Amino acid sequence: DAGVIQSPRHEVTEMGQEVTLRCKPISGHNSLFWYRQTMMRGLELLIYFNNNVPIDDSGMPEDRFSAKMPNASFSTLKIQPSEPRDSAVYFCASSFGPANEQFFGPGTRLTVL
Amino acid sequence: KQEVTQIPAALSVPEGENLVLNCSFTDSAIYNLQWFRQDPGKGLTSLLLIQSSQREQTSGRLNASLDKSSGRSTLYIAASQPGDSATYLCAVRPNDYKLSFGAGTTVTVRA
């Protein structure tokens, strides 16, 4: 079992650029979560998908953020345009059923200059 | 809004000592509670999931207890080792999908 896979692991970009983060959940898991972790705010849920459908996107900071899940094995989180305050570690997690144990990917460390 | 508190923020113990990590939450209406470990610069590793109907859950040297009525959970790690050094996060699930995380307790086990 490869676990949750995220790419890239590190991303450095300049303000105003588009950033796309990718996630492959554990095979067979039908719930997928995107989180953001910062020193100031800790871990925050950005968006939750169940069976590829977005269920709760109330944590998405603003319209610059968007997420898609075109199929059960792939999800993207896009920031356009990026800003320095978006610098954080972004985690993807998956589970078999939303209330069950969540498994996290290694994260993408995003730095926006 | 569910608030999760972990005290202390940091803990340093000599190798072999038992670790006791505390988590408290404000709303006792929870589905379950999950303990994670996070190593520096890494993702979260799930340690234990304890359902709201359970009083405790065990895995190897780890034991987690849950007292819903008082809004508390405790993670016990027996006979600590330097490899147990990490940040331990408690997360409460107030509904059927959302996890509310504590800020974590950073543990250092001295050899």
Side-chain angles (χ1 to χ4, degrees):
Chain A
D1 186 351
V4 176
I5 298 172
Q6 291 186 248
S7 65
R9 294 294 310 278
H10 302 273
E11 177 82 33
V12 180
T13 190
E14 295 200 343
M15 184 173 66
Q17 296 298 305
E18 177 179 297
V19 175
T20 299
L21 310 182
R22 297 172 176 79
C23 174
K24 177 179 170 55
I26 292 172
S27 178
H29 283 187
N30 60 350
S31 297
L32 185 137
F33 307 81
W34 282 100
Y35 291 90
R36 179 170 67 176
Q37 185 178 39
T38 60
M39 289 293 292
M40 289 294 295
R41 301 173 67 92
L43 269 158
E44 303 173 283
L45 177 66
L46 299 177
I47 188 167
Y48 152 57
F49 290 88
N50 194 49
N51 293 322
N52 311 339
V53 176
I55 303 300
D56 182 354
D57 65 354
S58 60
M60 296 286 263
E62 47 199 274
D63 292 346
R64 296 185 297 106
F65 285 69
S66 62
K68 293 183 179 180
M69 191 163 187
N71 57 61
S73 59
F74 185 65
S75 177
T76 59
L77 177 68
K78 186 178 292 187
I79 308 172
Q80 165 65 11
S82 58
E83 296 182 3
R85 60 191 168 122
D86 301 331
S87 298
V89 181
Y90 291 81
F91 289 105
C92 175
S94 71
S95 62
F96 182 65
N100 293 324
E101 192 175 9
Q102 285 187 22
F103 295 88
F104 279 66
T108 295
R109 182 172 296 276
L110 173 65
T111 302
V112 183
L113 303 174
Chain B
K1 179 188 172 185
Q2 178 73 267
E3 293 190 4
V4 183
T5 303
Q6 291 186 249
I7 295 173
L11 187 60
S12 179
V13 300
E15 182 176 3
E17 190 166 301
N18 295 333
L19 283 164
V20 180
L21 306 178
N22 298 305
C23 171
S24 61
F25 46 96
T26 53
D27 188 343
S28 63
I30 64 170
Y31 270 68
N32 53 42
L33 182 148
Q34 194 167 351
W35 280 94
F36 294 88
R37 166 188 172 136
Q38 186 172 27
D39 293 283
K42 300 289 178 67
L44 279 69
T45 300
S46 178
L47 298 175
L48 289 167
L49 176 77
I50 182 165
Q51 300 292 348
S52 62
S53 59
Q54 294 178 303
R55 297 283 293 182
E56 65 179 284
Q57 186 73 264
T58 298
S59 176
R61 293 186 295 114
L62 277 59
N63 174 278
S65 67
L66 175 63
D67 184 342
K68 252 185 22 168
S69 61
S70 66
R72 292 181 185 175
S73 177
T74 302
L75 178 67
Y76 300 89
I77 304 177
S80 62
Q81 305 167 359
D84 294 328
S85 298
T87 296
Y88 292 83
L89 294 158
C90 166
V92 173
R93 192 174 269 106
N95 60 25
D96 63 353
Y97 63 90
K98 191 163 190 170
L99 280 175
S100 295
F101 284 86
T105 295
T106 298
V107 171
T108 302
V109 180
R110 307 186 303 273

